[in-house]
Amino acid sequence: MPRSHPLTRRALLASSAAMSAAALLPPAMAAAEEPSPLAKPIPATGERLPAIGLGTWITFNVGDDALARDACAEVMRAFFDGGGRLIDSSPMYGSSEAVIGHGIGKLGRPPGLFSATKVWTWSGAAGPGQIEDSRRLWGLERFDLVQVHNLLSWEAHLETLLAMKAEGRVRHVGITTSHGRRHEALEAIMRTRPIDFVQVTYNALDREVERRILPLAAERGIAVIANRPFRGGSLIRSVEDRPLPPWAAEIDAASWAQILLKLAVSHPAVTCAIPATTRVDHVRQNVGAAYGRMPDERMRARMLDEIEAL
Amino acid sequence: MPVWSSYSLSDLLLFSPQTYYRLIELYNRAVWPGQVLALGFGVAILALLGRPGSRPGRAVSALLAACWLWVAWAFHLDRYATINWAAVYFAAGFAIQALLLAWSGVVRGRLAFRPGRDPVGRAGFGLLVFALAVQPLVGLIGARSWSGVEIFGLMPDPTVVATLGLLLTTTGRVPWELLVVPILWCALGGATLWAMGAPEAPIMPFAAALCLLLAIWGTSAGRRRSSPA
C-alpha cells in the first residue's frame, strides 16, 4: 500500500511518540497551533468521539504469542498517541480481548480509552457472564459500550444491556451487523428500542446503509460505527498501485487509506470508522485521516464516482 | 437467502495466516524433542504393518490412538483454542476418535492391517507413507519455514491422512465408524487452509475423496476379505 510521505510541520504534540503520528498529518494543518482530530458527538450523551477508532477483528487475535501481543500493544500506543479513543472488539474474536487487556496493562489505562465490545452467545442467560468475562479480560471497571453482536439473540441481550446501563454498569448500548446483513431487522430495532449505537458495514463500495439505516440513525439520534472501511483490505489492495488522485490534496489525504477513511467518516450520520491493522505505521496513517479537511458533499460524490470507476 | 450463505470462507477465518504459522512454530518449539518420538511412532507403525497375529494390530491401534489423543490435548485444546474458539470442539472430536480407535483396535482387537493384501491396501499404504514423509514438506512450498512443518502424531493434518491410509489397509469390512471424524477434519482443515490461501490446501480434501472412493470401490468390488486374518 502506498503510504504517505512524512510531511514537514511544526511540533504537533510534545511527546516524541505524538511527533511520529504528526508526521502523517496533512500539510494544511502545519500552521495550526493545537490540531485535534475530527470528533463527532454521540447523540445520546453529546460526548465527542474521534472519528477514527481501532478494530481488532483478526489483527489482535494472536493467542499467547508474547512478541505478537507486544506488537499489538505498540499499535494501541500509536493509536492513542495519534488521538484515537474507541477500540472495538468481541468475544467472537478469539484472543483479541485478552490481547487488548495486555496492551492496556502495558500502557497503563489510557485516559481517553473508549472501550467497546460485544455480547455474542445464543443464550440470553449466558450474556451477563460473557460480558463479565470480557470486562476481566480488558481489565476495566466497566465498558463504555457493549453491543449485541450480529443481532444474535438480540432481544434477550438488549434487555440485559439496558438493565446494566440503568444500573451504571455500562455507559452505552448498541447493536451490530456487517456485510450488509439483516438490515430490515436492524431497522426495526432502531425504530423501537432505545439504543445508543449501531454498527454497520460502510465503505466506498458497500453503501446500502446510505438508503435507510444512516438516515434513520440521524433521525433517531443513534451513533454509527462504520466497520470494514477497507472492505477487509480488498479496497486498499485494489487501489494501492495507483497514484493518488489530484483531489486528495484538497481533503488533506496523504494515502489511499486516508481517502477511504475520510470518505466513510465524512458522512454526516457516521460517528466513527474502525479500521484494523497489525502495523504501527498503518495505525498512524489511519488516525491521521481524522485530521485536516474533510470532503464536502460535492467532493464525496466525486470521490465515489472515481473510486467506483477504478 | 439464508444469512449464512452470504458468508465466504475468508469471512469465517478468525486469524491471519501469519498468526497460524507462528502458532505452529511456537508449538513445535515447545514440544521438542517430541518430533523425534512422533517420527519413531510412525516408523514403528510401518514396521508393525503386515505382521501376523493380533498383537501388531493392537499395537498400531494403540499408537494411533495415542497420537489422536495428544493432538486433541496438546494442539487443539492447549494451543489452537487460543486463536480459534471452535478448537475446543475439534479437541472433543479428536478425543472421540482416539477412544474409538482404542475400543475397536486395542480392546476388541478388530483392526488388522495388511497393506499388501490388495490394491486398496497398497493405496492406503501409499497414503500413510505420504503423510509420514511428504506431507510435512509440502508446507515449505508456501510461507512455512522448517520450524513450522507439520508432523504426524503432533499435528492434525498428517495424523488424519495417515489414519485414512491405515484404515484402508485393514482387513474385513471397511471401518466406516472410524472414518467419520477424519473425513470431517479433512473438510474443516482443508477449508481453513483454503481460506488462508495455503498451497497445501487441496491435500486434505483430496485425501478424503481418495479414501472414500477406494473404500467404496473396495467394498463394492468385494475385494476385501470378510474377516481379519
Side-chain angles (χ1 to χ4, degrees), chain A residues 74-240:
Chain A
E74 290 310 306
V75 167
M76 290 171 64
R77 186 195 305 277
F79 173 71
F80 291 121
D81 286 347
R85 287 188 61 198
L86 186 148
I87 297 182
D88 178 78
S89 193
S90 169
M92 189 254 192
Y93 299 173
S95 59
S96 292
E97 291 191 298
V99 173
I100 292 170
H102 171 80
I104 290 173
K106 191 171 180 186
L107 303 178
R109 190 188 190 287
L113 171 65
F114 190 95
S115 52
T117 193
K118 307 183 186 81
V119 55
W120 177 72
T121 168
W122 291 102
S123 163
Q130 188 181 67
I131 295 166
E132 175 59 17
D133 287 344
S134 294
R135 190 194 64 76
R136 273 192 280 107
L137 287 170
W138 284 62
L140 302 173
E141 286 182 13
R142 64 173 178 172
F143 282 109
D144 293 301
L145 167 63
V146 180
Q147 307 149 97
V148 181
H149 194 144
N150 282 349
L151 284 78
L152 185 64
S153 302
W154 67 267
E155 285 173 297
H157 293 320
L158 210 48
E159 190 177 329
T160 297
L161 293 177
L162 291 170
M164 288 179 69
K165 183 183 170 187
E167 295 164 5
R169 292 193 290 141
V170 60
R171 293 181 60 223
H172 303 89
V173 167
I175 198 151
T176 81
T177 184
S178 67
H179 301 71
R181 298 184 182 103
R182 300 185 67 183
H183 280 183
E184 283 184 17
L186 183 67
E187 192 180 326
I189 296 167
M190 291 170 70
R191 288 190 186 282
T192 57
R193 306 297 170 117
I195 57 174
D196 306 308
F197 276 80
V198 65
Q199 184 179 138
V200 293
T201 293
Y202 182 55
N203 58 55
L205 297 183
D206 298 310
R207 296 169 49 212
E208 190 194 323
V209 291
E210 286 180 351
R211 288 194 300 115
R212 298 175 69 93
I213 300 293
L214 295 184
L216 182 60
E219 177 193 322
R220 301 275 302 167
I222 299 171
V224 176
I225 297 174
N227 61 35
R228 294 174 59 82
F230 300 143
R231 219 184 201 196
S234 65
L235 260 174
I236 291 281
R237 288 190 292 275
S238 68
V239 294
E240 63 187 350

Side-chain angles (χ1 to χ4, degrees), chain B residues 1-192:
Chain B
M1 187 173 65
V3 169
W4 279 101
S5 67
S6 64
Y7 286 87
S8 67
L9 266 183
S10 59
D11 291 333
L12 303 177
L13 195 63
L14 296 170
F15 43 81
S16 68
Q18 292 77 16
T19 294
Y20 184 69
Y21 298 145
R22 172 98 172 135
L23 181 92
I24 296 171
E25 286 178 17
L26 292 174
Y27 170 67
N28 275 337
R29 200 180 298 171
V31 301
W32 174 260
Q35 290 83 352
V36 178
L37 185 65
L39 287 173
F41 273 34
V43 171
I45 288 171
L46 287 173
L48 288 165
L49 292 182
R51 294 200 175 187
S54 65
R55 281 190 176 181
R58 291 180 193 272
V60 169
S61 300
L63 289 172
L64 203 54
C67 290
W68 277 81
L69 204 56
W70 172 266
V71 173
W73 173 69
F75 181 73
H76 284 311
L77 207 55
D78 198 41
R79 296 280 169 167
Y80 196 23
T82 64
I83 61 169
N84 188 349
W85 41 263
V88 175
Y89 305 105
F90 303 157
F94 272 61
I96 288 169
Q97 178 72 8
L99 291 175
L100 288 174
L101 284 166
W103 174 252
S104 187
V106 183
V107 177
R108 302 182 73 191
R110 291 286 180 89
L111 298 178
F113 303 95
R114 301 282 184 274
R117 175 178 44 83
D118 61 10
V120 173
R122 286 191 285 276
F125 182 74
L127 209 52
L128 170 64
V129 171
F130 171 83
L132 294 177
V134 181
Q135 194 174 0
L137 307 177
V138 177
L140 297 173
I141 298 169
R144 313 277 187 111
S145 63
W146 277 101
S147 57
V149 296
E150 299 187 32
I151 292 174
F152 163 79
L154 297 181
M155 286 294 293
D157 289 3
T159 304
V160 165
V161 174
T163 302
L164 291 177
L166 275 168
L167 293 176
L168 286 175
T169 70
T170 55
T171 58
R173 70 171 187 85
V174 175
W176 294 105
E177 70 282 3
L178 296 179
L179 288 176
V180 175
V181 173
I183 295 289
L184 282 176
W185 179 259
C186 286
L188 283 167
T192 302

Side-chain angles (χ1 to χ4, degrees), chain B residues 199-213:
Chain B
E200 64 270 36
I203 290 178
M204 299 305 287
F206 179 78
L210 182 67
C211 177
L212 283 174
L213 284 173

